């Protein structure tokens, strides 16, 4: 790989995977707001229950934990824990010049595992299901990071 250009299929593969993951992570904030409005609950700060145009009937109960809102927050926290690693590891990986098919399988594979993990978490699937999906994504990150380290050392 000579340059970071969208004309390069390797970099374009990374750009597509990274963009999907960033959009997914950013959308979690919007999903949290939508869920809070729908539940009329899950607010976090005392000032959130002041009477406003968006909250015409405030109640202290709006500050109580709400599992449906908190579930979205847990998904977002999971994204925030894993996304930076993927963004850095993926970029470094493509700099090693892997075969295009390998890069596509690994980078898009990671995206698929994270989207499936999101769906499993959102629909309250078992921990085993989420753990399997997390493990697959984690193994992809370990592989691309180890390959990058190998190429950098040798």
């Amino acid at each position: 790989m000579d340059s970071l250009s969208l004309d390069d299929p390797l970099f374009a593969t990374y750009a597509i995977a990274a963009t999907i993951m960033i959009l997914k992570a950013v959308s979690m904030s919007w999903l949290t707001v939508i869920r809070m409005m729908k539940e009329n609950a899950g607010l976090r700060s005392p000032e959130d229950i002041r009477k406003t145009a968006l909250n015409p009937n405030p109640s202290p109960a709006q500050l109580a934990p709400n599992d449906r809102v908190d579930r979205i927050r847990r998904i977002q926290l999971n994204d925030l824990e894993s996304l930076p690693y993927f963004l850095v590891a993926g970029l470094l990986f493509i700099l090693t010049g892997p075969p295009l098919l390998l890069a596509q399988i690994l980078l898009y594979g990671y995206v698929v595992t994270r989207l499936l993990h999101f769906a499993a978490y959102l629909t309250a699937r078992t921990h085993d299901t989420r753990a399997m999906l997390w493990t697959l994504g984690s193994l992809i990150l370990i592989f691309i990071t180890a390959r990058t380290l190998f190429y950098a050392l040798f």
Side-chain angles (χ1 to χ4, degrees):
M1 165 177 254
D2 294 328
S3 68
L4 299 179
S5 164
L6 291 175
D7 293 330
D8 181 334
L10 271 177
F11 185 70
T13 297
Y14 168 75
I16 291 166
T19 302
I20 291 169
M21 294 312 305
I22 291 167
L23 286 172
K24 189 255 181 222
V26 169
S27 70
M28 295 310 300
S29 296
W30 287 97
L31 189 54
T32 302
V33 170
I34 291 167
R35 186 65 62 90
M36 285 188 322
M37 291 173 64
K38 197 172 195 179
E39 296 288 317
N40 196 27
L43 303 179
R44 286 196 151 166
S45 301
E47 63 272 15
D48 295 344
I49 58 169
R50 291 184 188 147
K51 187 173 184 169
T52 66
L54 294 176
N55 193 3
N57 300 308
S59 163
Q62 291 173 311
L63 293 175
N66 179 284
D67 185 59
R68 289 179 46 81
V69 175
D70 289 342
R71 177 170 298 280
I72 303 300
R73 287 189 176 121
R74 289 190 301 271
I75 295 169
Q76 184 174 33
L77 181 58
N78 191 275
D79 283 345
L80 295 174
E81 292 169 350
S82 62
L83 181 61
Y85 296 119
F86 172 71
L87 295 176
V88 173
L91 180 60
L92 294 173
F93 171 65
I94 64 155
L95 292 175
T96 69
L100 179 59
L101 182 60
L102 178 65
Q104 289 171 332
I105 290 169
L106 294 172
L107 297 178
Y108 296 153
Y110 181 83
V111 169
V112 168
T113 65
R114 295 304 301 165
L115 294 175
L116 290 173
H117 182 272
F118 162 73
Y121 215 142
L122 187 66
T123 59
R125 300 291 177 224
T126 65
H127 178 266
D128 295 354
T129 301
R130 293 192 326 268
M132 177 196 60
L133 294 166
W134 176 89
T135 300
L136 290 171
S138 181
L139 289 173
I140 290 171
L141 281 179
I142 290 168
F143 177 84
I144 65 177
T145 304
R147 185 181 193 279
T148 301
L149 181 60
F150 177 82
Y151 272 74
L153 291 174
F154 305 103

